[in-house]
Amino acid sequence: MSVHGSLVGAATLRRLRLAHGWSLAGLARALVEKAADLGQPLDAGAASVQRSVARWESSKAPILPGERYQFLLAHLYARGADGAVFLGSGSDFAEYLDALAHLGESEHRLAELRTLLVRTTTDVGGGLLALLGPSTQSALATALADPRRLDEALLAAMRTAVTDINAQVGSLPFVRLQLLLAPVIESCRRLLDGPVPEPLLPVLRQVAAQAYTLGGRCAFETRDDVASRQLYAAATAAAGGSGAPWRRAVVHMSHALVTLYSTPGVDAAQQLVGAAVRDARAGGSVTVRARAHALQAEIAARAGHERHAQSALALAWYDMDADRDGDPSQSSFTAAHLRGFEGVTQLHIGDPAAAHDYFAGSAAELIAPRERVQRAIVVTDQALARIRLDEPESAAELLHGSIDAAAATGGRVAAIRLRRARGDLRPWRREDWFGDLDDHLIETLGA
């Protein structure tokens, strides 16, 4: 954190306070009242809180608000002057998070605050409108009534909303993500059916492909396979008209993963992965190409094709080590994710000890909220490796954490893998620790 950055953060906090019409004392009273409303009354009086506000906004040596005050300020700045919740780009809340970043707060903590406010919004029946400002809401209504009035600014806002929702995977249950996403999906469908300006069609298709793909995954995770297939078909068509083959590769990969767990065998998933690799190689994203090769390795390993799997892994690492500056994809696929694919490959066609170490290394780095679902899958696979190494009780210990993560997110893939791991532990079903694991699975996941 630089001195200049901290002064920028303090000035932003001061500007936000004044924009809401609060004096130092007024903001102090608002914080005290908000704490009481949330059932977390402050021990300090208004005068003490006012001194804290002054220190946050100091023009000489500002300090970062403590976590409790950060939470209270987040609730205050999540609402505009009209009392409506607005968390998206251009909101006071977004400015507030930027101020905290300038004052030295970590990205992890800022993500936590955003998740807390999105969760609160869905708790009280809000949704997508909290991610779109009043002007964007009005522009969307206008465009839906007359698609010829669609413009670049509205498309950018819709893309940001989808990105914001996608960022909550692992932090919010998939059923809530569906509620947030549904208005975007319906808006994309209606706009694509209308006479939108021709130059904007490729961008609209890009946004639609992102929304449909995330919607397809959410539908799968909530066990609506029919809706999932329909959304993936729509995503494939939209991405195909976006002018960027790597975007269609992303759709194919997501579709392949859900197909792997909703269709017997690996043939259907293998066809989708093959299509993903072809599109990725024709596209301009090295990151997407690395991920496509990694998934190709997993499918080949599951089919028992060792040479094909190892070749695909080598290509994935080659892509991963390439220069990715300017990569058009915003995918978070990293070396930690790729090590998870290395583990799966070893688990199916190699050494379970090597698989275990790959999984352990991957799980140790998958710590961001967005990676919670993936981490639960990796840890479950790590437990499978321990079972094959004749360490069943140690495997069960790992599975307890994965059960809690699967329950928190509603992740179907993690739940499927957990049940398979439980099946592999059946030879030890008379052990007390097996009974504890069984009870935890039944109480938490219902099976």
Side-chain angles (χ1 to χ4, degrees):
M1 177 187 66
S2 67
V3 173
H4 174 72
S6 65
L7 293 178
V8 170
T12 302
L13 289 180
R14 188 181 312 115
R15 184 173 65 252
L16 287 171
R17 172 175 59 79
L18 294 175
H20 280 250
W22 288 317
S23 63
L24 289 173
L27 177 54
R29 287 192 296 272
L31 287 166
V32 171
E33 291 169 3
K34 177 55 67 177
D37 289 343
L38 295 172
Q40 302 176 19
L42 295 171
D43 295 329
S48 175
V49 176
Q50 181 177 335
R51 288 192 291 272
S52 294
V53 174
R55 287 193 289 271
W56 305 333
E57 300 180 9
S58 170
S59 60
K60 295 181 179 179
I63 65 170
L64 178 69
E67 288 194 0
R68 191 173 187 188
Y69 283 119
Q70 287 181 18
F71 176 69
L72 295 173
L73 287 166
H75 275 274
L76 292 178
Y77 290 130
R79 293 185 179 275
D82 60 355
V85 176
F86 177 27
L87 308 177
S89 177
S91 65
D92 286 349
F93 180 74
E95 272 202 81
Y96 165 66
L97 293 185
D98 189 52
L100 293 184
H102 280 297
L103 287 166
E105 190 50 87
S106 69
E107 287 293 330
H108 180 73
R109 172 60 182 165
L110 297 180
E112 283 185 337
L113 281 171
R114 185 172 184 79
T115 294
L116 281 170
L117 269 295
V118 173
R119 182 182 292 275
T120 299
T121 300
T122 55
D123 277 343
V124 298
L128 174 69
L129 297 185
L131 302 176
L132 301 174
S135 61
T136 304
Q137 295 174 34
S138 175
L140 180 57
T142 299
L144 290 174
D146 182 3
R148 289 170 296 186
R149 300 181 66 178
L150 178 68
D151 59 27
E152 292 180 355
L154 177 56
L155 284 172
M158 291 172 66
R159 185 197 300 278
T160 299
V162 176
T163 301
D164 285 345
I165 297 167
N166 187 45
Q168 299 306 318
V169 171
S171 299
L172 291 178
F174 282 104
V175 66
R176 293 201 189 197
L177 298 179
Q178 277 185 302
L179 292 174
L180 284 167
L181 195 59
V184 185
I185 289 174
E186 182 58 26
S187 296
C188 287
R189 282 174 171 161
R190 289 173 59 182
L191 290 170
L192 284 170
D193 285 340
V196 302
E198 189 69 28
L200 297 182
L201 262 178
V203 181
L204 174 58
R205 287 170 179 149
Q206 291 172 15
V207 175
Q210 289 176 278
Y212 297 161
T213 301
L214 181 56
R217 181 186 174 183
C218 289
F220 164 78
E221 298 283 8
T222 54
R223 294 164 176 77
D224 189 345
D225 291 339
V226 173
S228 180
R229 286 192 292 271
Q230 292 171 345
L231 283 162
Y232 276 117
T236 302
S242 70
W246 66 266
R247 294 184 183 278
R248 190 167 59 186
V250 171
V251 178
H252 287 321
M253 284 188 282
S254 181
H255 193 187
L257 283 169
V258 305
T259 299
L260 186 62
Y261 290 95
S262 59
T263 304
V266 299
D267 289 348
Q270 198 165 34
Q271 290 178 10
L272 287 165
V273 171
V277 170
R278 289 191 293 273
D279 278 338
R281 288 174 176 172
S285 172
V286 178
T287 302
V288 169
R289 195 157 65 241
R291 187 177 167 214
H293 283 134
L295 187 54
Q296 186 179 41
E298 175 178 346
I299 298 298
R302 289 177 179 276
H305 302 149
E306 181 176 359
R307 180 180 292 182
H308 189 189
Q310 295 297 350
S311 175
L313 272 179
L315 289 171
W317 278 114
Y318 177 82
D319 295 328
M320 184 61 65
D321 293 336
D323 182 5
R324 290 188 284 166
D325 287 344
D327 196 306
S329 170
Q330 299 300 310
S331 171
S332 60
F333 190 77
T334 65
H337 293 87
L338 184 47
R339 276 191 286 275
F341 283 97
E342 288 260 30
V344 171
T345 302
Q346 288 289 336
L347 192 64
H348 286 279
I349 58 172
D351 178 7
H356 179 275
D357 291 345
Y358 280 124
F359 290 136
S362 178
E365 294 186 46
L366 297 173
I367 57 176
R370 177 67 175 77
E371 296 165 340
R372 190 177 184 186
V373 175
Q374 185 63 34
R375 188 177 190 280
I377 293 169
V378 168
V379 171
T380 302
D381 287 345
Q382 185 184 356
L384 286 171
R386 288 190 181 181
I387 295 170
R388 297 184 187 182
L389 291 169
D390 200 26
E391 300 175 13
E393 187 171 0
S394 174
E397 291 174 5
L398 281 178
L399 293 175
H400 281 287
S402 295
I403 291 170
D404 292 333
T409 61
R412 184 178 175 187
V413 173
I416 290 171
R417 274 168 131 118
L418 279 165
R419 293 185 181 104
R420 290 179 181 174
R422 177 195 176 279
D424 286 356
L425 287 171
R426 282 190 61 80
W428 296 274
R429 62 186 178 277
R430 299 188 187 281
E431 300 290 341
D432 290 343
W433 53 261
F434 181 91
D436 292 340
L437 181 68
D438 226 22
D439 289 344
H440 193 181
L441 265 173
I442 293 169
E443 291 170 3
T444 308
L445 298 178

